[in-house]
Amino acid sequence: MDKQVATAAQAMADVTHGQSFAVGGFGLSGVPETLIGALYESGAADLTVVSNNCGVDGRGLGVLLAAGRISRVTGSYIGDNKEFARQYLSGELEVELIPQGTLAERLRAGGSGIPAFFTPAGVGTPVAEGGLPWRYAPDGSVAVASPPKETRLFDGVEHVLEHAVTTDYALVRAARGDRHGNLVFHRAARNFNPLAAMAGRITVAEVEELVEPGELDPDEVHLPGVFVQRVVALTPEQAADKGIEKRTVRER
């Protein structure tokens, strides 16, 4: 039951080339920066990533992206990540863009043992009809396009079939956790973290505050330890290192 691992490097020690990762976070909120750093240091490449977005230039998954370690991304938002856009448009990166709610449900379904589900999101668009560019050729033509998906009527409303997502690993960040893997997230930093954790066959959680088993009230646990295999306690410096994607201030 004791799932604590001494360092992030040890938690990532068995990662190899070509593996897949579900990664929590939204923008730079709730991003497992320390685990991403350890994944970078591992040297693993040709990685498939499932995450809402791919960090920003120089932070989060953007670090792996800039190093050319990621070959495919499934997500819902490119944002202001210029390197992400450049690699996608130049044909260096394969990208599957899907509706944000569909991404959330595909992760949750994967963790719940549900192989696929129907949703009205995307019906009547290339999401369902196919043709979305997954990978461009160097000359700007579409090298790989999304295939059409099955649709079906339910109560007279057309729905599209979406398949669940499971990955080799999941990397998440929590505000509090215990050595059994029970996790508590802080407000908006919860975002995709519980869903990503559910989808991973091996889920590694970095926690800002590690508490003893029994200290967490069961009613406050957002993700039970059954979904978590490894826990890494952050140092105070690591816990305090939280990037701000867009800093805005009001006038005095």
Side-chain angles (χ1 to χ4, degrees):
M1 292 295 291
D2 189 347
K3 301 174 182 178
Q4 184 178 2
V5 181
T7 66
Q10 291 179 18
M12 296 283 97
D14 55 355
V15 170
T16 59
H17 298 307
Q19 293 186 303
S20 58
F21 292 79
V23 183
F26 190 109
L28 290 179
S29 176
V31 175
E33 298 262 13
T34 300
L35 291 174
I36 291 172
L39 179 56
Y40 171 83
E41 293 297 333
S42 75
D46 191 24
L47 305 177
T48 295
V49 170
V50 181
S51 186
N52 175 66
N53 59 289
C54 210
V56 300
D57 295 308
R59 292 213 62 148
L61 288 168
V63 174
L64 291 169
L65 194 68
R69 304 282 186 81
I70 299 175
S71 59
R72 192 180 197 277
V73 175
T74 297
S76 63
Y77 183 61
I78 292 179
D80 294 328
N81 192 325
K82 295 181 176 59
E83 180 61 14
F84 189 171
R86 187 198 67 78
Q87 290 190 24
Y88 175 43
L89 295 175
S90 66
E92 300 172 32
L93 182 68
E94 187 169 304
V95 178
E96 180 186 4
L97 287 173
I98 58 176
Q100 198 166 85
T102 300
L103 173 63
E105 184 63 8
R106 287 179 68 180
L107 289 165
R108 191 198 69 82
S112 301
I114 300 170
F117 59 90
F118 282 94
T119 173
V123 169
T125 76
V127 169
E129 297 168 357
L132 285 173
W134 279 1
R135 181 184 290 275
Y136 285 98
D139 63 2
S141 62
V142 177
V144 181
S146 66
K149 300 175 181 177
E150 178 185 343
T151 61
R152 188 178 299 182
L153 290 177
F154 292 93
D155 297 325
V157 179
E158 190 173 7
H159 293 68
V160 59
L161 181 68
E162 295 283 359
H163 290 268
V165 168
T166 56
T167 56
D168 298 315
Y169 290 84
L171 308 181
V172 300
R173 180 174 181 134
R176 302 177 72 205
D178 62 23
R179 289 184 286 105
H180 292 172
N182 299 303
L183 303 180
V184 178
F185 304 95
H186 183 66
R187 296 185 178 179
R190 187 191 310 190
N191 52 64
F192 278 83
N193 276 296
L195 304 169
M198 292 174 67
R201 296 183 181 90
I202 298 175
T203 294
V204 189
E206 61 178 59
V207 299
E208 297 172 16
E209 179 187 0
L210 185 68
V211 302
E212 290 300 316
E215 288 189 36
L216 295 177
D217 185 332
D219 284 339
E220 69 174 329
V221 171
H222 296 134
L223 184 78
V226 68
F227 291 110
V228 179
Q229 284 69 50
R230 300 171 190 172
V231 177
V232 178
L234 299 179
T235 66
E237 294 75 20
Q238 290 170 333
D241 183 20
K242 300 178 182 179
I244 299 175
E245 187 171 2
K246 293 184 179 181
R247 186 183 301 274
T248 58
V249 297
R250 64 179 177 86
E251 296 181 2
R252 292 184 180 277

